[in-house]
Amino acid sequence: MMYDTLIIGSGPAGLTAAIYASRAGLQYAVIEREPMGTGQIAYTERVDNYPGFYGIDGFSLGEKLREHAETLGTAFLEHEVTGLKSVQNGWQILTAAGDVLESRTVICASGASPKRLEISGESEWTGRGVSYCALCDGAFFTGKRVAVIGGGNTALSDALYLAKLAEKVYLIHRRDVFRADHALIEQAAHTDNIELVLQAIPVEIQGTDSVTALIVSRNGNKHLIPADGVFVAVGSVPNTAYVREIAELDSIGYIIAPESGETSAKGLFAAGDIRTKQVRQVVTATADGANAIASVQAYIQKAAAV
């Protein structure tokens, strides 16, 4: 089957693209690596900046977006995309299972994955004391001591969430100023069981039968922070391996694309956290999904007129 567009990713950008593709009468489907996925938003405890849904938890918001797409008849294909190949009439999407899907256009909306610290002990203790999702694993550390590493909105949100469960939360940032929103910084500073550890660089995670400590470097000196768990929130890495040789990427690996979603490759579009932009939030991801479909429509109409 030749689709008009195939959407890679079922986060807010991909689901919004599906909603708009349905309304546009396109032949389309969403390709997702994990069944019933809704992207990273599912791991957010509380969303305060998506208009009309103040205070909703991320899982519920993701479910509402998916339900909307499903109600409009969106088909979801479970595949891990490993590559794209440009062909005469569009694109072939290559999958890990060896299947090949064909579409006139492709929308890359596969988002980003948590960045790792790449320090001693991290790999050894991942899943056994080192976590990249406070909402997923926080309950395992009720009444214990944890360290949260990072200085952005995710790190501070994680620290505030964990402070409700843990006895002590060490919030560790390599700089002396946080990058997060002012409101989150104020909340963290006034939460009794959160201790700010600034200008500290994590160098090692220690443990025997379980994680026992995080070693940080401050002003050239090493310090031991007692911790039963370490939560890493130092940013994300774009999931762009499958388009690395196809579309132009920036130095970090994000797809270079304006708000229209148009990439350097004809018929290939990018939406959501995967593309270069100033703000990566749910509201901009959904806008990207809508813009990408408008660009797909224009591209198909132009191709048909030739």
Side-chain angles (χ1 to χ4, degrees), residues 6-88:
L6 281 171
I7 303 159
I8 303 173
S10 57
L15 292 173
T16 304
I19 291 167
Y20 276 74
S22 174
R23 291 172 59 83
L26 299 177
Q27 291 289 328
Y28 74 99
V30 173
I31 303 173
E32 58 181 2
R33 185 170 55 186
E34 299 175 359
M36 302 302 294
T38 58
Q40 288 194 80
I41 188 64
Y43 305 117
T44 301
E45 181 198 14
R46 180 184 172 101
V47 179
D48 284 344
N49 52 6
Y50 192 73
F53 290 91
Y54 177 77
I56 192 172
D57 66 274
F59 180 84
S60 296
L61 180 57
E63 287 297 295
K64 285 181 178 293
L65 291 170
R66 189 180 181 99
E67 181 183 358
H68 190 162
E70 289 175 339
T71 300
L72 294 178
T74 297
F76 292 87
L77 311 176
E78 190 179 335
H79 288 288
E80 180 177 354
V81 176
T82 56
L84 301 177
K85 182 179 179 181
S86 178
V87 294
Q88 184 175 2

Side-chain angles (χ1 to χ4, degrees), residues 12 49-51 277 279-288:
N49 52 6
Y50 192 73
K277 57 180 178 177
V279 178
R280 291 188 174 89
Q281 304 247 323
V282 183
V283 70
T284 61
T286 55
D288 282 359

Side-chain angles (χ1 to χ4, degrees), residues 68-247:
H68 190 162
E70 289 175 339
T71 300
L72 294 178
T74 297
F76 292 87
L77 311 176
E78 190 179 335
H79 288 288
E80 180 177 354
V81 176
T82 56
L84 301 177
K85 182 179 179 181
S86 178
V87 294
Q88 184 175 2
N89 296 322
W91 292 91
Q92 288 183 339
I93 293 89
L94 314 178
T95 71
D99 296 316
V100 178
L101 307 172
E102 295 187 326
S103 182
R104 293 181 176 83
T105 64
V106 175
I107 297 174
C108 301
S110 45
S113 297
K115 186 184 293 184
R116 298 173 65 86
L117 295 171
E118 304 297 344
I119 63 173
S120 176
E122 181 180 16
S123 295
E124 178 184 353
W125 294 109
T126 294
R128 300 189 301 137
V130 174
S131 173
Y132 303 87
C133 177
L135 189 62
C136 307
D137 301 323
F140 296 118
F141 299 91
T142 300
K144 298 184 178 182
R145 301 163 301 181
V146 299
V148 176
I149 302 170
N153 285 343
T154 299
L156 271 78
S157 295
D158 286 355
L160 289 166
Y161 169 68
L162 291 166
K164 301 173 185 176
L165 304 170
E167 175 190 351
K168 181 79 172 182
V169 177
Y170 297 96
L171 180 54
I172 298 158
H173 184 39
R174 60 180 178 173
R175 298 190 176 92
D176 59 354
V177 178
F178 290 109
R179 306 186 313 274
D181 293 341
H182 178 74
L184 290 174
I185 297 172
E186 285 294 300
Q187 281 182 266
H190 291 91
T191 300
D192 291 340
N193 62 335
I194 293 180
E195 181 176 334
L196 307 184
V197 184
L198 303 179
Q199 294 182 296
I201 301 173
V203 295
E204 183 182 358
I205 297 168
Q206 295 184 339
T208 50
D209 295 329
S210 61
V211 169
T212 57
L214 173 71
I215 307 299
V216 301
S217 175
R218 302 182 77 181
N219 300 317
N221 299 312
K222 289 186 177 180
H223 299 268
L224 185 147
I225 295 176
D228 302 296
V230 177
F231 290 84
V232 182
V234 293
S236 301
V237 178
N239 297 321
T240 51
Y242 64 94
V243 291
R244 197 163 290 155
E245 306 300 324
I246 303 294

